[in-house]
Amino acid sequence: QVLVPTETPVGGSQALLGRSTYSATPELAGATFTVTVNLVDRFFNRMPPGFNSTFKLSSDDPNDRLADMGSFTTSNGQKLSTGVFLVTQSTTTGWTITASTTTGDAILAGESTRFKVNPSTPSNMLILLGAQQQVDGVGVIGSPAIEAAGEFITVKVVATDPGFNLTPSVTKTGLRLVSNDPFTQSSWTLSMVNGVSISSIPLRTAGIRSFTVSDQSGAQPLLAGYASSTFTMTASNPTRLRVLLPS
């Protein structure tokens, strides 16, 4: 039996699988909480002293770190697993936590109530170029395309929590975007609404290019700067001849 915060055991009650409620409170991504695992009989009565089991925790959060916590052993039929956290936000369907035996005995796995996980405090920015995507709990995936000088590049800046979950609560102006192109505009000032800023930026110089964004707004929460993936910029279509004299 797996209980998450706000749930308490109700031995003998099968209506809610031996728990007080199916309405667990939401948790914050990356924030720790305590999971209570009880060794119970088929009527959800906690086993008396002398009956114990060793188990591990897992979750349907695709980025969970619960395996890193190793195994736990109940004492007098119970174990309070502290320091548990999930990584990926899920504000609609939520996630569950499962306890399963590691000793190969005949004890059935237990699954928690499904509970929502909200993004944590906004702290970071990510830069997405072209078809790159932001994935909650992961960060940036994909590689930027090869671009041609003078063409507009779609630059998307998003605000995230420390686990790279999108934080739509951020709306601010004063984000400064710069590139390593020595012959283009020195910087651009961006505005962010609902955690997202989208701009079309032209660069001029062929070579290996990148963008860097910093939060110059002075408004809380201040977001950490970020450097984009590098990408190749090629010369544009030929348009003229150039004559170079010696030296």
Side-chain angles (χ1 to χ4, degrees):
Q1 182 189 48
V2 182
L3 304 176
V4 290
T6 72
E7 295 181 330
T8 55
V10 181
S13 172
Q14 293 181 291
L16 298 178
L17 303 181
R19 51 172 56 89
S20 59
T21 178
Y22 263 144
S23 300
T25 57
E27 300 293 337
L28 292 177
T32 59
F33 55 95
T34 298
V35 171
T36 301
V37 177
N38 292 323
L39 182 61
V40 297
D41 65 13
R42 60 183 177 141
F43 302 109
F44 300 101
N45 296 297
R46 178 176 159 186
M47 299 303 294
F51 293 88
N52 289 297
S53 179
T54 299
F55 64 92
K56 63 182 178 179
L57 296 177
S58 60
S59 173
D60 53 351
D61 174 354
N63 303 301
D64 79 82
R65 308 286 191 270
L66 298 179
D68 298 339
M69 301 184 72
S71 60
F72 306 86
T73 300
T74 60
S75 176
N76 296 328
Q78 185 180 77
K79 175 64 179 179
L80 302 181
S81 302
T82 60
V84 175
F85 68 94
L86 296 184
V87 175
T88 312
Q89 69 168 324
S90 180
T91 58
T92 303
T93 58
W95 306 118
T96 62
I97 292 177
T98 299
S100 56
T101 180
T102 61
T103 56
D105 53 35
I107 296 173
L108 298 177
E111 185 177 76
S112 76
T113 303
R114 189 165 290 277
F115 60 96
K116 296 178 181 180
V117 176
N118 295 323
S120 188
T121 303
S123 60
N124 299 332
M125 289 184 287
L126 300 176
I127 298 177
L128 313 174
L129 302 177
Q132 286 186 308
Q133 295 179 310
Q134 174 265 333
V135 176
D136 289 334
V138 177
V140 179
I141 64 169
S143 300
I146 296 173
E147 303 287 352
E151 299 295 325
F152 284 91
I153 303 167
T154 299
V155 178
K156 186 176 182 179
V157 179
V158 298
T160 72
D161 68 8
F164 304 114
N165 296 291
L166 179 67
T167 52
S169 61
V170 178
T171 294
K172 61 167 60 186
T173 59
L175 304 180
R176 184 171 184 262
L177 183 74
V178 299
S179 81
N180 67 341
D181 185 339
F183 297 111
T184 193
Q185 184 174 321
S186 59
S187 66
W188 297 263
T189 300
L190 310 181
S191 296
M192 177 175 286
V193 177
N194 297 331
V196 178
S197 172
I198 301 178
S199 304
S200 294
I201 306 293
L203 298 183
R204 297 180 179 180
T205 310
I208 303 300
R209 298 287 158 244
S210 65
F211 292 96
T212 301
V213 65
S214 59
D215 186 351
Q216 305 293 319
S217 67
Q220 296 295 327
L222 288 176
L223 305 174
Y226 186 81
S228 75
S229 305
T230 58
F231 61 96
T232 299
M233 173 154 285
T234 61
S236 186
N237 296 324
T239 58
R240 68 192 68 187
L241 296 174
R242 180 173 61 177
V243 179
L244 299 178
L245 299 176
S247 77

